[in-house]
Amino acid sequence: MRLARALVFASVAALASAQDPPSRAPDPVFLVANAERLIANKEDVEGAALLLWQALEVLATRPADPMRDATATTARHLLEAHDQLETERRRVHESVAKQQIELAQAYRSRKWFDAAATRVEVAMRFARDAAAKERTLLEAARPKAKAGSAAAAPTRPSSLLRRENTDLVSGNWTEVDDRLECTTKFGGNAEWVTKATHADHEVVVEFRPEDANKGHDACLAIGLHTLEGTENYSGYRAHYDYSPRTKRFGLVLWCIRGMEFTKLGEVSGTAETTPAGFHRLSIQVRGQKLRAQVDAQSPLVVDAAEEVRGAVGLVLGLSDRPTCAVQFRNLRIDSLPANAPTDDPLREQTAAEVQQSITGLVDQAKALIAKKQPEAASLALRDALGELRKLPAGVPRTNLATPIEHLLNQTDSLTSRRKKAGQSIGAELVGLADKYAATGMVRLAHAQVEDAADFDPDGQAARLASAREAVQAWNVAQAAARASELAPPADDGALLRVRFAQGRRLDNRSQGWKVEGPAASVLELGPGEMTSLMPTQGTPPLSKASVHVHLPAASTAAGFCFDVASPNDYSVALLFRARGGLELRAYRYTREWTELRRRVIPMDAWRLDGWFPITIETTSAGITVRAAGDELLLERSHLGTASGRFGLCASNGAKEALTVELRAFQIPP
């Protein structure tokens, strides 16, 4: 028997929402080009400076090459010519980097190489060249691993992670000490089904990616059983999927009946740093009610159609994205907590789980201190302080922080120096921010205060709140003053109605369209749903088309479907609204979603409520999609057969039903 093939997201909306906000860094060349345009048109010098800062921050992480160096040089020249505070900004940033490099040098002299590396990475953002020199010295100082060094005797994994206790194993599973490690090829999956069964229990597993900076997934399966007439296991899966570009995860709860997958719900959030890199994934079963949760994140609670009972297992691998190797440990079936939490107890439980994580990190640090590993202990204690900031400020948090800080001071003699450096850096950056704010550039001020709060979170909390309020007020004022720029395009919808009034949905099971007056609308498009409308039968094929889209909330998207062979073979090009701007995305669907290209387009919040044109064009090389000043080039080899029939497409990855509109369909010359 085989489990169903690796789970496929049922819609672009589901795929998108798991990666919201933007999951990739903007293209620095695009950022610099847009900044040049804003400056040349005298539209928004402050906005141009923001784009240039973002470009330089991305470029600071990239290796030197002619394109990278030329782009960075252009960005710096533009800032020097058009930002009167650029010289001061460079001075402050060089000071920030210098203080971090000095800390790195102090750690390097003590042979605390990991602690030194964290300071170098911070310094790289502020003064790349100076930090790069220290990075080279640090790498040269690191000791090389000794060949043939003796390893401790391995410990067997927990009982449910041993082959003698399984009903099915497929894929590459290997015992590694007390863990089970799995690897899988892109597009494949690995399955592990145990003989153990659950009733009303909490099923738990801990997992850790081989590399926390790479994409990975992990799936906990419950209620596994075979239905009559099927060969694969039916049941329920909580599937965790992490994007390294956003540092965010999506958790989707699926019901499987034979080969049919039904999404019951999903949550997403920013991935946490956890002790030893392991995450806790759990599903609580209470009759028909399921509660899935990863770490101390918001839980996902759904109702199944029947009482959930069956075997437990694991799955690794999604069909539409790669995963690095993942280790699993402590797969177990526990008793349920005494009571199912409601909202208030849930908040208390979340706080308790954060405190539990802090306790685990502190215990880990104490164990490392006992083993005379002070550097690793100090890193665990700093992680504990990071966890602590998830709790609301007040006496309880202060009382928890005091003993951790005391232990950290004992473990790391540079703690006081680091704290003073953080406060000094925070003050310098806020001083720079105040100068930008005095010139009315509240967005540039906010960016500097955000950096200041990274170094001195408690000391700059109030200043960060006021900087955010200033940006929010600026956005409100812009929206009121420039309301005409947010208005729908001037178009009566005549061509739109000719092409689509009698059109048909690509999938008859999807939400219907209303083509009336100037708009093609999808009224109350449900969460996680996508729908496409093909043109009226008999309308001639096109080589180029454009349409304006209105995206009512974050995680909504709209645009074109194209190269349509059937409901199971087509492509889409969409503008996706994220929290920090837009993304231009393209996917192909062949019973599985494959992402073709994506571009991140930063944008001020007030503009996101407007209308945006998106243009699609067939070329000899494939398809070109343009929107919001950027473009995607999609090679024909990655697409289906060209048909020239461009349909409309809309999706909703938000948590509530929303109306998505498209207007001003045109056939450009």
Side-chain angles (χ1 to χ4, degrees):
M1 275 182 286
R2 295 276 299 173
L3 279 171
R5 181 162 159 64
L7 106 89
V8 178
F9 282 100
S11 71
V12 171
L15 190 151
S17 63
Q19 302 182 35
D20 179 48
S23 59
R24 294 182 181 170
D27 177 11
V29 175
F30 164 74
L31 294 174
V32 173
N34 264 10
E36 286 184 297
R37 177 183 57 78
L38 290 174
I39 291 169
N41 296 338
K42 299 181 180 179
E43 291 181 38
D44 184 2
V45 174
E46 182 187 13
L50 271 177
L51 295 177
L52 294 169
W53 288 2
Q54 291 178 57
L56 288 172
E57 186 165 336
V58 174
L59 292 168
T61 67
R62 298 189 177 180
D65 63 50
M67 176 61 77
R68 183 256 164 219
D69 295 344
T71 305
T73 298
T74 301
R76 285 193 289 267
H77 284 336
L78 288 169
L79 285 168
E80 288 167 1
H82 299 283
D83 179 2
Q84 61 183 357
L85 289 172
E86 173 60 12
T87 300
E88 175 69 2
R89 186 185 76 89
R90 291 284 295 274
R91 184 195 66 77
V92 170
H93 281 208
E94 286 168 2
S95 173
V96 172
K98 180 175 182 291
Q99 293 176 71
Q100 293 300 301
I101 291 169
E102 288 172 348
L103 285 168
Q105 291 169 339
Y107 279 123
R108 175 162 60 84
S109 69
R110 298 174 58 183
K111 295 182 170 51
W112 283 32
F113 299 117
D114 290 336
T118 64
R119 298 306 91 206
V120 171
E121 292 309 309
V122 172
M124 288 287 288
R125 290 185 53 231
F126 294 90
R128 173 190 166 92
D129 293 341
K133 294 177 183 177
E134 176 58 25
R135 176 188 273 176
T136 300
L137 293 171
L138 177 61
E139 291 305 314
R142 280 185 183 273
K144 304 299 184 287
K146 295 180 180 179
S149 56
T155 304
R156 292 294 308 279
S158 58
S159 62
L160 297 187
L161 295 178
R162 299 179 189 170
R163 289 180 185 267
E164 60 264 30
N165 296 325
T166 61
D167 270 338
L168 169 71
V169 175
S170 70
N172 186 13
W173 299 84
T174 308
E175 287 189 15
V176 180
D177 297 331
D178 63 339
R179 305 175 295 281
L180 196 63
E181 182 172 283
C182 185
T183 59
T184 184
K185 294 181 179 179
F186 179 37
N189 68 329
E191 301 141 7
W192 181 277
V193 180
T194 74
K195 296 176 182 177
T197 60
H198 68 86
D200 280 3
H201 289 102
E202 181 176 42
V203 183
V204 181
V205 72
E206 298 170 28
F207 67 92
R208 177 176 69 182
E210 174 189 45
D211 185 342
N213 295 317
K214 293 183 178 179
H216 56 272
D217 66 87
C219 175
L220 180 60
I222 62 168
L224 297 176
H225 62 282
T226 55
L227 295 173
E228 186 176 353
T230 66
E231 295 185 354
N232 60 283
Y233 280 97
S234 297
Y236 296 83
R237 298 185 191 177
H239 214 125
Y240 173 98
D241 178 31
Y242 171 77
S243 167
R245 297 175 295 273
T246 61
K247 295 181 172 56
R248 288 179 66 83
F249 73 90
L251 181 65
V252 182
L253 194 56
W254 296 88
C255 172
I256 301 101
R257 290 291 177 269
M259 294 300 292
E260 179 182 346
F261 286 77
T262 302
K263 185 177 68 174
L264 300 181
E266 64 184 303
V267 294
S268 61
T270 302
E272 299 179 7
T273 301
T274 56
F278 276 96
H279 299 278
R280 181 182 189 273
L281 179 59
S282 67
I283 308 177
Q284 293 178 9
V285 182
R286 287 183 168 86
Q288 296 178 220
K289 187 172 290 294
L290 304 178
R291 180 184 186 272
Q293 186 175 30
V294 60
D295 298 328
Q297 301 279 355
S298 298
L300 174 60
V301 181
V302 302
D303 289 312
E306 71 286 312
E307 187 177 62
V308 180
R309 299 287 186 266
V312 304
L314 305 170
V315 181
L316 180 73
L318 289 166
S319 60
D320 58 352
R321 67 195 70 186
T323 178
C324 67
V326 174
Q327 294 180 345
F328 296 89
R329 72 179 185 186
N330 295 336
L331 176 61
R332 60 192 187 273
I333 302 172
D334 291 343
S335 299
L336 283 170
N339 297 298
T342 56
D343 287 347
D344 287 339
L346 188 57
R347 281 190 286 271
E348 294 174 6
Q349 178 178 321
T350 299
E353 288 169 344
V354 171
Q355 292 183 44
Q356 183 179 1
S357 176
I358 293 168
T359 300
L361 285 163
V362 173
D363 289 344
Q364 178 189 359
K366 290 178 178 177
L368 290 166
I369 292 170
K371 295 177 182 178
K372 300 189 184 304
Q373 298 178 30
E375 180 184 13
S378 72
L379 295 173
L381 290 169
R382 294 190 189 284
D383 286 343
L385 290 174
E387 286 286 290
L388 194 59
R389 294 190 185 99
K390 296 176 182 177
L391 300 177
V395 174
R397 193 174 93 173
T398 301
N399 290 341
L400 282 170
T402 299
I404 298 173
E405 290 172 344
H406 179 69
L407 188 57
L408 184 58
N409 277 315
Q410 293 179 323
T411 306
D412 181 359
S413 60
L414 293 177
T415 297
S416 177
R417 179 175 169 183
R418 282 183 64 159
K419 185 173 183 179
K420 289 179 181 177
Q423 292 171 339
S424 172
I425 289 169
E428 284 190 78
L429 289 167
V430 164
L432 177 61
D434 290 341
K435 292 179 180 179
Y436 277 112
T439 66
M441 295 186 176
V442 295
R443 290 172 289 168
L444 298 183
H446 175 249
Q448 297 300 325
V449 175
E450 281 193 317
D451 283 341
D454 286 341
F455 289 100
D456 183 17
D458 294 331
Q460 302 301 337
R463 183 65 180 85
L464 180 59
S466 65
R468 286 174 176 164
E469 290 172 1
V471 172
Q472 290 169 356
W474 180 88
N475 274 294
V476 170
Q478 290 294 306
R482 304 170 71 173
S484 61
E485 297 178 38
L486 304 179
D491 183 272
D492 64 3
L495 184 56
L496 180 70
R497 294 192 298 274
V498 168
R499 297 288 300 191
F500 294 101
Q502 302 302 318
R504 294 184 178 181
R505 285 169 290 163
L506 182 55
D507 185 338
N508 289 330
R509 298 169 297 178
S510 65
Q511 182 87 345
W513 291 69
K514 180 181 179 182
V515 182
E516 184 177 280
S521 306
V522 187
L523 305 177
E524 298 298 308
L525 182 61
E529 293 186 1
M530 187 183 104
T531 180
S532 296
L533 181 66
M534 296 305 294
T536 302
Q537 187 108 17
T539 53
L542 301 172
S543 62
K544 192 173 184 180
S546 70
V547 72
H548 281 65
V549 302
H550 180 255
L551 308 174
S555 297
T556 55
F560 289 101
C561 59
F562 60 96
D563 288 357
V564 177
S566 74
N568 294 316
D569 185 354
Y570 62 97
S571 300
V572 296
L574 303 163
L575 259 183
F576 174 84
R577 178 170 174 174
R579 290 186 177 87
L582 298 173
E583 293 185 13
L584 186 53
R585 299 178 171 188
Y587 302 93
R588 184 168 182 211
Y589 182 71
T590 52
R591 295 186 182 274
E592 299 177 354
W593 286 107
T594 300
E595 182 180 303
L596 301 174
R597 294 287 302 280
R598 182 189 307 206
R599 298 293 289 267
V600 175
I601 307 170
M603 190 165 291
D604 290 318
W606 73 271
R607 293 185 183 275
L608 295 176
D609 287 328
W611 289 77
F612 301 97
I614 177 170
T615 299
I616 186 168
E617 181 177 9
T618 301
T619 67
S620 58
I623 292 287
T624 299
V625 185
R626 298 182 180 88
D630 207 347
E631 68 177 27
L632 298 179
L633 304 177
L634 310 175
E635 297 178 10
R636 175 50 59 191
S637 59
H638 297 157
L639 303 171
T641 303
S643 66
R645 292 182 62 75
F646 301 134
L648 305 179
C649 185
S651 73
N652 178 19
K655 295 181 179 179
E656 65 279 349
L658 296 164
T659 295
V660 181
E661 271 192 274
L662 297 89
R663 296 192 181 194
F665 182 86
Q666 299 291 333
I667 305 174

